[in-house]
Amino acid sequence: MLVGLSTASVYPENTEAAFEYAADLGYDGVELMVWAESVSQDVAAVTRLVRRYSVPVLAVHAPCLLISQRVWGADPVAKLERSVHAAEDLGARTVVVHPPFRWQRRYADGFADQVGELEEASGHVVVAVENMFPMRADRFWGAKERSAERLERRGGPGPGVSAFAPSYDPTDVGHEHYTLDLSHTATAGMDAFALAERMGGGLTHLHLADGRGASADEHLIPGHGSQPCAALCRSLAESAFSGQAVLEVNTQTARTRAERRSMLAQSLAFAREHLSR
């Protein structure tokens, strides 16, 4: 099973740094996060990085974060189409995309149809819709580090509002392909195994990270939170899963490059151990 590194995992370092870490540590490729950094938006520049470091692009993450609302223009329909074309040009087989935001009404109304049409037109690139999480009320009161304890005590995430239409759970709509993100299941208070079962054979892509159930998305190194990362990886390894696993972890706490390298190496070692067939 191929194990990739999300270029977002090296932030605040840049896209080239992600290729460098991936080559140095032995990742099988990268997932390109398209966001404000100019190189991430430039297919020709990324192609040069692929050649320079001999590291392929396994997946492209469409620019659908709040901070990338203006990347590749303001039209989310056009941005998703451009993401698929970028994946084709880079030789990637997967585009990761979030469900539409509620205020993107035209996009939301035609989202499922557009995803299907883009997959059919491409022939080899799949559009894997990612599970997200609600905006929880306890994010605005009390210490954030205590929110995981509150979730555990009450047995769920508590009051929250979804910013996504119609839901932060893409299986509520039904798509051909899905990305399962284990940090997002923690923040949403979802059962990761139950969600994986609902995704079924459509589970194509794994964002391997961890979380403790805090009100803010954490993207911890797998094994450092409460999610069943090891068990779920073993389940996928023992199944017919033919997708990719990408480490999407937060290394912003690293004070040096050596410390960030250690965090990324630890993440890769976890993946290799538990995804081994």
Short mmCIF file of all heavy atoms in Angstrom, two decimals, residues 127-173:
data_model
loop_
_atom_site.label_atom_id
_atom_site.label_comp_id
_atom_site.label_asym_id
_atom_site.label_seq_id
_atom_site.Cartn_x
_atom_site.Cartn_y
_atom_site.Cartn_z
N VAL A 127 -12.51 11.27 -7.61
CA VAL A 127 -12.75 12.41 -6.73
C VAL A 127 -13.29 11.86 -5.42
O VAL A 127 -14.43 11.40 -5.35
CB VAL A 127 -13.73 13.42 -7.35
CG1 VAL A 127 -13.93 14.61 -6.42
CG2 VAL A 127 -13.21 13.89 -8.71
N ALA A 128 -12.45 11.87 -4.39
CA ALA A 128 -12.78 11.22 -3.12
C ALA A 128 -13.22 12.29 -2.12
O ALA A 128 -12.42 13.11 -1.66
CB ALA A 128 -11.56 10.47 -2.58
N VAL A 129 -14.50 12.28 -1.78
CA VAL A 129 -15.09 13.32 -0.92
C VAL A 129 -14.78 12.98 0.54
O VAL A 129 -14.99 11.85 0.99
CB VAL A 129 -16.61 13.43 -1.14
CG1 VAL A 129 -17.18 14.61 -0.37
CG2 VAL A 129 -16.92 13.58 -2.63
N GLU A 130 -14.30 13.98 1.27
CA GLU A 130 -13.75 13.77 2.61
C GLU A 130 -14.78 14.08 3.70
O GLU A 130 -15.53 15.05 3.60
CB GLU A 130 -12.53 14.69 2.77
CG GLU A 130 -11.79 14.54 4.08
CD GLU A 130 -10.52 15.38 4.11
OE1 GLU A 130 -10.31 16.19 3.19
OE2 GLU A 130 -9.73 15.22 5.06
N ASN A 131 -14.78 13.27 4.75
CA ASN A 131 -15.60 13.56 5.92
C ASN A 131 -15.04 14.76 6.67
O ASN A 131 -13.82 14.93 6.80
CB ASN A 131 -15.67 12.35 6.86
CG ASN A 131 -14.30 11.92 7.38
OD1 ASN A 131 -13.45 11.48 6.62
ND2 ASN A 131 -14.09 12.05 8.69
N MET A 132 -15.93 15.61 7.17
CA MET A 132 -15.52 16.82 7.89
C MET A 132 -16.06 16.78 9.32
O MET A 132 -16.22 15.70 9.89
CB MET A 132 -15.97 18.05 7.11
CG MET A 132 -15.34 18.17 5.72
SD MET A 132 -13.52 18.21 5.75
CE MET A 132 -13.22 19.78 6.52
N PHE A 133 -16.37 17.92 9.90
CA PHE A 133 -16.81 17.96 11.30
C PHE A 133 -17.61 19.24 11.52
O PHE A 133 -17.47 20.21 10.77
CB PHE A 133 -15.59 17.92 12.24
CG PHE A 133 -14.53 18.93 11.89
CD1 PHE A 133 -14.57 20.22 12.40
CD2 PHE A 133 -13.48 18.59 11.05
CE1 PHE A 133 -13.61 21.16 12.07
CE2 PHE A 133 -12.51 19.52 10.71
CZ PHE A 133 -12.57 20.80 11.22
N PRO A 134 -18.44 19.27 12.56
CA PRO A 134 -19.24 20.48 12.83
C PRO A 134 -18.42 21.52 13.58
O PRO A 134 -17.38 21.22 14.17
CB PRO A 134 -20.37 19.95 13.70
CG PRO A 134 -19.74 18.81 14.45
CD PRO A 134 -18.77 18.18 13.49
N MET A 135 -18.91 22.74 13.56
CA MET A 135 -18.37 23.80 14.42
C MET A 135 -19.03 23.63 15.78
O MET A 135 -20.22 23.85 15.94
CB MET A 135 -18.69 25.18 13.84
CG MET A 135 -18.15 26.33 14.66
SD MET A 135 -16.35 26.43 14.63
CE MET A 135 -16.09 27.03 12.96
N ARG A 136 -18.23 23.20 16.76
CA ARG A 136 -18.80 22.87 18.07
C ARG A 136 -18.86 24.09 18.98
O ARG A 136 -17.96 24.93 19.01
CB ARG A 136 -17.96 21.78 18.72
CG ARG A 136 -18.25 20.40 18.15
CD ARG A 136 -17.26 19.36 18.52
NE ARG A 136 -16.83 19.41 19.90
CZ ARG A 136 -15.84 18.67 20.38
NH1 ARG A 136 -15.18 17.86 19.58
NH2 ARG A 136 -15.50 18.75 21.65
N ALA A 137 -19.94 24.16 19.75
CA ALA A 137 -20.17 25.30 20.64
C ALA A 137 -19.08 25.43 21.69
O ALA A 137 -18.70 26.55 22.05
CB ALA A 137 -21.54 25.17 21.31
N ASP A 138 -18.54 24.30 22.17
CA ASP A 138 -17.56 24.39 23.25
C ASP A 138 -16.20 24.88 22.76
O ASP A 138 -15.28 25.06 23.54
CB ASP A 138 -17.41 23.06 24.00
CG ASP A 138 -16.99 21.90 23.11
OD1 ASP A 138 -16.84 22.10 21.89
OD2 ASP A 138 -16.81 20.80 23.64
N ARG A 139 -16.09 25.17 21.45
CA ARG A 139 -14.86 25.78 20.95
C ARG A 139 -14.73 27.22 21.47
O ARG A 139 -13.64 27.77 21.50
CB ARG A 139 -14.88 25.78 19.42
CG ARG A 139 -13.61 26.31 18.78
CD ARG A 139 -13.60 26.05 17.30
NE ARG A 139 -12.34 26.45 16.69
CZ ARG A 139 -11.99 26.17 15.45
NH1 ARG A 139 -12.80 25.47 14.69
NH2 ARG A 139 -10.85 26.58 14.96
N PHE A 140 -15.85 27.81 21.86
CA PHE A 140 -15.86 29.22 22.23
C PHE A 140 -15.88 29.47 23.73
O PHE A 140 -15.96 30.60 24.17
CB PHE A 140 -17.07 29.91 21.57
CG PHE A 140 -17.07 29.76 20.08
CD1 PHE A 140 -17.90 28.82 19.47
CD2 PHE A 140 -16.22 30.51 19.28
CE1 PHE A 140 -17.89 28.67 18.09
CE2 PHE A 140 -16.21 30.36 17.90
CZ PHE A 140 -17.05 29.43 17.32
N TRP A 141 -15.84 28.37 24.53
CA TRP A 141 -15.77 28.60 25.97
C TRP A 141 -14.93 27.52 26.63
O TRP A 141 -14.91 26.37 26.20
CB TRP A 141 -17.16 28.64 26.61
CG TRP A 141 -18.03 27.46 26.30
CD1 TRP A 141 -18.85 27.29 25.25
CD2 TRP A 141 -18.15 26.24 27.08
NE1 TRP A 141 -19.48 26.06 25.28
CE2 TRP A 141 -19.07 25.40 26.42
CE3 TRP A 141 -17.57 25.79 28.28
CZ2 TRP A 141 -19.42 24.16 26.90
CZ3 TRP A 141 -17.93 24.55 28.75
CH2 TRP A 141 -18.85 23.76 28.06
N GLY A 142 -14.20 27.93 27.63
CA GLY A 142 -13.33 26.99 28.32
C GLY A 142 -12.05 26.72 27.53
O GLY A 142 -11.93 27.06 26.36
N ALA A 143 -11.10 26.12 28.18
CA ALA A 143 -9.83 25.80 27.55
C ALA A 143 -10.03 24.73 26.48
O ALA A 143 -10.70 23.73 26.70
CB ALA A 143 -8.83 25.32 28.60
N LYS A 144 -9.44 24.93 25.31
CA LYS A 144 -9.61 23.99 24.20
C LYS A 144 -9.09 22.60 24.56
O LYS A 144 -9.64 21.60 24.12
CB LYS A 144 -8.90 24.52 22.96
CG LYS A 144 -9.72 25.52 22.18
CD LYS A 144 -9.18 25.72 20.79
CE LYS A 144 -8.06 26.72 20.80
NZ LYS A 144 -7.67 27.13 19.43
N GLU A 145 -8.04 22.57 25.36
CA GLU A 145 -7.48 21.26 25.70
C GLU A 145 -8.43 20.45 26.59
O GLU A 145 -8.26 19.25 26.75
CB GLU A 145 -6.13 21.42 26.39
CG GLU A 145 -6.14 22.27 27.63
CD GLU A 145 -5.83 23.73 27.34
OE1 GLU A 145 -5.99 24.15 26.18
OE2 GLU A 145 -5.44 24.44 28.28
N ARG A 146 -9.44 21.12 27.18
CA ARG A 146 -10.42 20.40 28.02
C ARG A 146 -11.61 19.91 27.20
O ARG A 146 -12.44 19.16 27.72
CB ARG A 146 -10.92 21.32 29.15
CG ARG A 146 -9.83 21.86 30.06
CD ARG A 146 -9.12 20.76 30.82
NE ARG A 146 -10.01 20.04 31.69
CZ ARG A 146 -10.31 20.45 32.93
NH1 ARG A 146 -9.77 21.56 33.41
NH2 ARG A 146 -11.12 19.73 33.68
N SER A 147 -11.71 20.35 25.95
CA SER A 147 -12.89 19.99 25.16
C SER A 147 -12.94 18.49 24.88
O SER A 147 -14.03 17.91 24.78
CB SER A 147 -12.93 20.79 23.85
OG SER A 147 -11.76 20.56 23.09
N ALA A 148 -11.78 17.85 24.75
CA ALA A 148 -11.76 16.40 24.55
C ALA A 148 -12.32 15.68 25.77
O ALA A 148 -13.03 14.68 25.65
CB ALA A 148 -10.35 15.93 24.26
N GLU A 149 -12.00 16.19 26.96
CA GLU A 149 -12.53 15.60 28.19
C GLU A 149 -14.05 15.77 28.25
O GLU A 149 -14.76 14.85 28.66
CB GLU A 149 -11.88 16.25 29.41
CG GLU A 149 -10.37 16.04 29.49
CD GLU A 149 -9.76 16.83 30.62
OE1 GLU A 149 -10.52 17.24 31.54
OE2 GLU A 149 -8.53 17.04 30.60
N ARG A 150 -14.54 16.94 27.84
CA ARG A 150 -15.98 17.17 27.85
C ARG A 150 -16.68 16.23 26.88
O ARG A 150 -17.75 15.69 27.19
CB ARG A 150 -16.28 18.63 27.51
CG ARG A 150 -15.83 19.63 28.57
CD ARG A 150 -16.43 21.00 28.36
NE ARG A 150 -15.90 21.66 27.18
CZ ARG A 150 -14.83 22.45 27.17
NH1 ARG A 150 -14.17 22.67 28.30
NH2 ARG A 150 -14.43 23.03 26.06
N LEU A 151 -16.09 16.04 25.70
CA LEU A 151 -16.69 15.12 24.72
C LEU A 151 -16.77 13.71 25.30
O LEU A 151 -17.78 13.04 25.16
CB LEU A 151 -15.86 15.13 23.43
CG LEU A 151 -16.35 14.23 22.30
CD1 LEU A 151 -16.12 14.88 20.94
CD2 LEU A 151 -15.63 12.88 22.32
N GLU A 152 -15.70 13.27 25.96
CA GLU A 152 -15.68 11.92 26.52
C GLU A 152 -16.73 11.76 27.62
O GLU A 152 -17.43 10.75 27.69
CB GLU A 152 -14.29 11.61 27.07
CG GLU A 152 -14.15 10.17 27.56
CD GLU A 152 -12.74 9.83 27.98
OE1 GLU A 152 -11.88 10.74 27.95
OE2 GLU A 152 -12.50 8.68 28.36
N ARG A 153 -16.88 12.79 28.48
CA ARG A 153 -17.84 12.70 29.58
C ARG A 153 -19.28 12.61 29.09
O ARG A 153 -20.08 11.85 29.63
CB ARG A 153 -17.69 13.93 30.50
CG ARG A 153 -16.49 13.88 31.44
CD ARG A 153 -16.67 14.84 32.60
NE ARG A 153 -16.90 16.20 32.14
CZ ARG A 153 -15.92 17.09 31.94
NH1 ARG A 153 -14.66 16.75 32.13
NH2 ARG A 153 -16.21 18.33 31.53
N ARG A 154 -19.60 13.38 28.07
CA ARG A 154 -21.00 13.38 27.63
C ARG A 154 -21.27 12.37 26.52
O ARG A 154 -22.40 12.23 26.05
CB ARG A 154 -21.40 14.79 27.18
CG ARG A 154 -20.68 15.33 25.98
CD ARG A 154 -21.23 16.71 25.60
NE ARG A 154 -20.36 17.33 24.60
CZ ARG A 154 -19.65 18.43 24.79
NH1 ARG A 154 -19.73 19.07 25.94
NH2 ARG A 154 -18.90 18.92 23.84
N GLY A 155 -20.21 11.68 26.04
CA GLY A 155 -20.40 10.63 25.05
C GLY A 155 -20.67 11.12 23.66
O GLY A 155 -21.22 10.39 22.82
N GLY A 156 -20.29 12.34 23.36
CA GLY A 156 -20.49 12.89 22.03
C GLY A 156 -20.02 14.32 21.96
O GLY A 156 -19.62 14.90 22.97
N PRO A 157 -20.07 14.92 20.76
CA PRO A 157 -19.50 16.25 20.58
C PRO A 157 -20.33 17.38 21.16
O PRO A 157 -19.85 18.50 21.28
CB PRO A 157 -19.40 16.38 19.06
CG PRO A 157 -20.47 15.48 18.54
CD PRO A 157 -20.53 14.33 19.51
N GLY A 158 -21.59 17.13 21.52
CA GLY A 158 -22.41 18.21 22.06
C GLY A 158 -22.94 19.12 20.96
O GLY A 158 -22.84 18.81 19.77
N PRO A 159 -23.50 20.27 21.33
CA PRO A 159 -24.10 21.17 20.35
C PRO A 159 -23.07 21.63 19.31
O PRO A 159 -21.92 21.91 19.61
CB PRO A 159 -24.57 22.36 21.19
CG PRO A 159 -24.68 21.83 22.58
CD PRO A 159 -23.62 20.79 22.70
N GLY A 160 -23.52 21.69 18.08
CA GLY A 160 -22.64 22.13 17.01
C GLY A 160 -23.45 22.48 15.78
O GLY A 160 -24.62 22.13 15.66
N VAL A 161 -22.82 23.20 14.87
CA VAL A 161 -23.47 23.61 13.63
C VAL A 161 -22.59 23.20 12.46
O VAL A 161 -21.38 23.46 12.47
CB VAL A 161 -23.69 25.14 13.60
CG1 VAL A 161 -24.28 25.57 12.26
CG2 VAL A 161 -24.60 25.58 14.73
N SER A 162 -23.17 22.55 11.47
CA SER A 162 -22.41 22.14 10.31
C SER A 162 -22.32 23.28 9.32
O SER A 162 -23.32 23.92 8.97
CB SER A 162 -23.07 20.94 9.63
OG SER A 162 -22.39 20.63 8.42
N ALA A 163 -21.10 23.54 8.86
CA ALA A 163 -20.89 24.55 7.83
C ALA A 163 -21.04 23.96 6.44
O ALA A 163 -20.94 24.66 5.45
CB ALA A 163 -19.51 25.16 7.97
N PHE A 164 -21.30 22.63 6.37
CA PHE A 164 -21.30 21.93 5.10
C PHE A 164 -22.71 21.52 4.68
O PHE A 164 -23.56 21.23 5.52
CB PHE A 164 -20.39 20.70 5.18
CG PHE A 164 -18.98 21.04 5.55
CD1 PHE A 164 -18.55 20.96 6.87
CD2 PHE A 164 -18.08 21.48 4.60
CE1 PHE A 164 -17.26 21.30 7.23
CE2 PHE A 164 -16.79 21.82 4.94
CZ PHE A 164 -16.37 21.74 6.26
N ALA A 165 -22.93 21.49 3.37
CA ALA A 165 -24.25 21.16 2.82
C ALA A 165 -24.18 19.87 2.02
O ALA A 165 -23.31 19.73 1.15
CB ALA A 165 -24.74 22.30 1.93
N PRO A 166 -25.08 18.93 2.26
CA PRO A 166 -26.09 18.99 3.32
C PRO A 166 -25.58 18.51 4.67
O PRO A 166 -26.28 18.57 5.66
CB PRO A 166 -27.18 18.05 2.79
CG PRO A 166 -26.41 17.00 2.04
CD PRO A 166 -25.25 17.73 1.41
N SER A 167 -24.34 18.01 4.71
CA SER A 167 -23.83 17.40 5.92
C SER A 167 -22.31 17.34 5.85
O SER A 167 -21.71 17.36 4.78
CB SER A 167 -24.40 15.98 6.06
OG SER A 167 -23.74 15.25 7.07
N TYR A 168 -21.68 17.24 7.04
CA TYR A 168 -20.23 17.03 7.06
C TYR A 168 -19.88 15.55 6.87
O TYR A 168 -18.72 15.19 6.75
CB TYR A 168 -19.61 17.55 8.36
CG TYR A 168 -20.20 16.98 9.64
CD1 TYR A 168 -19.75 15.76 10.16
CD2 TYR A 168 -21.19 17.66 10.35
CE1 TYR A 168 -20.28 15.24 11.32
CE2 TYR A 168 -21.71 17.15 11.53
CZ TYR A 168 -21.26 15.94 12.01
OH TYR A 168 -21.79 15.42 13.17
N ASP A 169 -20.89 14.69 6.83
CA ASP A 169 -20.70 13.26 6.56
C ASP A 169 -21.09 13.00 5.11
O ASP A 169 -22.27 13.03 4.75
CB ASP A 169 -21.58 12.43 7.50
CG ASP A 169 -21.43 10.93 7.28
OD1 ASP A 169 -20.80 10.53 6.28
OD2 ASP A 169 -21.98 10.17 8.09
N PRO A 170 -20.12 12.78 4.22
CA PRO A 170 -20.45 12.63 2.79
C PRO A 170 -21.28 11.40 2.47
O PRO A 170 -21.89 11.34 1.40
CB PRO A 170 -19.07 12.57 2.11
CG PRO A 170 -18.15 12.06 3.18
CD PRO A 170 -18.67 12.63 4.47
N THR A 171 -21.32 10.42 3.39
CA THR A 171 -22.15 9.24 3.11
C THR A 171 -23.63 9.56 3.24
O THR A 171 -24.47 8.76 2.81
CB THR A 171 -21.79 8.07 4.05
OG1 THR A 171 -22.13 8.40 5.40
CG2 THR A 171 -20.31 7.73 3.97
N ASP A 172 -23.98 10.72 3.81
CA ASP A 172 -25.38 11.13 3.86
C ASP A 172 -25.92 11.41 2.47
O ASP A 172 -27.13 11.35 2.23
CB ASP A 172 -25.55 12.38 4.74
CG ASP A 172 -25.41 12.09 6.22
OD1 ASP A 172 -25.45 10.90 6.60
OD2 ASP A 172 -25.25 13.04 7.01
N VAL A 173 -25.01 11.78 1.55
CA VAL A 173 -25.40 12.03 0.16
C VAL A 173 -25.20 10.77 -0.66
O VAL A 173 -26.09 10.33 -1.40
CB VAL A 173 -24.57 13.18 -0.44
CG1 VAL A 173 -24.88 13.35 -1.93
CG2 VAL A 173 -24.83 14.47 0.32
#
